Amino acid sequence: QVQLVESGGGLVQPGGSLRLSCAASGSIFSIDRMGWYRQAPGKQRELVATVTSGGSTNYADSVKGRFSISRDNAKNTVYLQMNSLKPEDTADYYCNAEKRHYSGTYYIITWGRGTLVTVFS
């Protein structure tokens, strides 16, 4: 099994920055891709960014140029650097771990419990 623990959320003013961390433990050899998702009040959970074990990244259009996802394999940790934050970035941010199916698609192994990011004026 894989366990994920997020940290780094908090309060920040518009234009500010935060860095989220997601530490993985357990059967980490089974992880092929990790991602950050977010869920704002009353809205569905949405993709923010993903990074594969090979380092390939993918971003939602709404965060391109502002957010950066990276991974430290030695620490089994994935980071989300968030710059130029906007009030609409306010949400619970969740980390997940995914495994690649032989067909090429990814399926989710587990989710973290989330960390709250609030961007306020």
Side-chain angles (χ1 to χ4, degrees):
Q1 291 187 343
V2 175
Q3 294 81 41
L4 303 175
V5 178
E6 302 101 330
S7 61
L11 299 173
V12 63
Q13 292 185 330
S17 298
L18 281 176
R19 189 177 79 156
L20 306 183
S21 300
C22 174
S25 60
S27 302
I28 57 175
F29 60 86
S30 63
I31 301 173
D32 293 317
R33 186 170 76 177
M34 296 186 71
W36 285 98
Y37 286 70
R38 66 187 181 186
Q39 187 167 17
K43 295 187 177 181
Q44 291 188 329
R45 192 171 296 188
E46 63 177 6
L47 169 72
V48 176
T50 61
V51 60
T52 69
S53 56
S56 296
T57 58
N58 180 54
Y59 296 91
D61 288 342
S62 59
V63 305
K64 282 182 180 176
R66 300 188 299 123
F67 291 11
S68 178
I69 190 170
S70 62
R71 62 191 296 163
D72 184 334
N73 291 329
K75 295 182 178 180
N76 300 320
T77 300
V78 171
Y79 303 98
L80 184 68
Q81 178 66 44
M82 305 186 295
N83 299 326
S84 302
L85 282 162
K86 305 175 181 180
E88 51 263 44
D89 294 319
T90 295
D92 286 303
Y93 283 71
Y94 298 90
C95 174
N96 79 355
E98 302 174 348
K99 187 166 182 61
R100 189 173 186 270
H101 190 261
Y102 68 85
S103 65
T105 59
Y106 288 87
Y107 60 92
I108 296 171
I109 300 173
T110 192
W111 290 94
R113 301 183 71 174
T115 185
L116 178 62
V117 172
T118 303
V119 185
F120 71 101
S121 298

